[in-house]
Amino acid sequence: MRYVLVAVLGLLFSSCATQATMTIYSQPPGAYITEIGTEMALGIAPVVSYYNESALRANRSDAQGCYLIKGFEAQWVSGARAASTEAIRLCKGTTNNYIWTITRNSDDPGLDKDLQFALQIQTLLTQQQQAQAAQDAAAAALIGAFSAAQQADAPMRCRSYSVGNTVQTNCK
């Protein structure tokens, strides 16, 4: 049983160490990201795509140790589109975190719509962060109150002893 547990833990930790991530941003934020070639939807930028070591090794591109992954396309609410290259080279290995930003052409129509949407996303994220901070503060206050109540219920032990003409008392 012990060997099985060690094997499972080793497998879990080794699988975490053999994964690369690609975070795709859009400029302005809020574009809908898809993978070129497969049209697989990744979501609204920023999004993260994960690549395990075996998938990366199957797509080794050159003797320099780089790997190829499919590129990405971004579409903003205005309908404007931009894309990365069709294939992206990852040259830092199979366990690194990569970042790619797709920038909208400012000459495409509807930039004001895309900037407004980006502002709405930022406002929503700020509200979520504030709500999380309030929940964290409430949880900390509850834990503090519970801890104080436990300390108040704990028995106090005191020990007195005389030193010369005075009595010293220590309580715990």
Side-chain angles (χ1 to χ4, degrees), residues 52-64:
N52 66 35
E53 183 178 20
S54 61
L56 288 173
R57 292 202 188 283
N59 293 307
R60 186 173 288 257
S61 67
D62 56 30
Q64 298 165 344

Side-chain angles (χ1 to χ4, degrees), residues 23-28 30-36 39-49 71-76 82 84 100-102:
T23 304
I24 303 102
Y25 292 92
S26 67
Q27 188 55 39
Y32 189 73
I33 307 295
T34 56
E35 187 177 70
I36 294 175
E39 308 310 317
M40 181 176 71
L42 298 176
I44 295 176
V47 295
V48 179
S49 188
F72 307 98
E73 182 178 37
Q75 181 176 357
W76 285 265
S84 68
W100 195 273
T101 301
I102 302 174

Side-chain angles (χ1 to χ4, degrees), residues 39-107:
E39 308 310 317
M40 181 176 71
L42 298 176
I44 295 176
V47 295
V48 179
S49 188
Y50 301 92
Y51 303 92
N52 66 35
E53 183 178 20
S54 61
L56 288 173
R57 292 202 188 283
N59 293 307
R60 186 173 288 257
S61 67
D62 56 30
Q64 298 165 344
C66 297
Y67 304 93
L68 286 178
I69 62 167
K70 295 184 181 298
F72 307 98
E73 182 178 37
Q75 181 176 357
W76 285 265
V77 294
S78 68
R81 292 177 177 258
S84 68
T85 56
E86 284 191 34
I88 297 173
R89 292 178 73 209
L90 305 180
C91 297
K92 295 180 187 174
T94 61
T95 60
N96 285 7
N97 299 316
Y98 298 89
I99 295 174
W100 195 273
T101 301
I102 302 174
T103 303
R104 181 193 190 284
N105 184 347
S106 59
D107 293 335

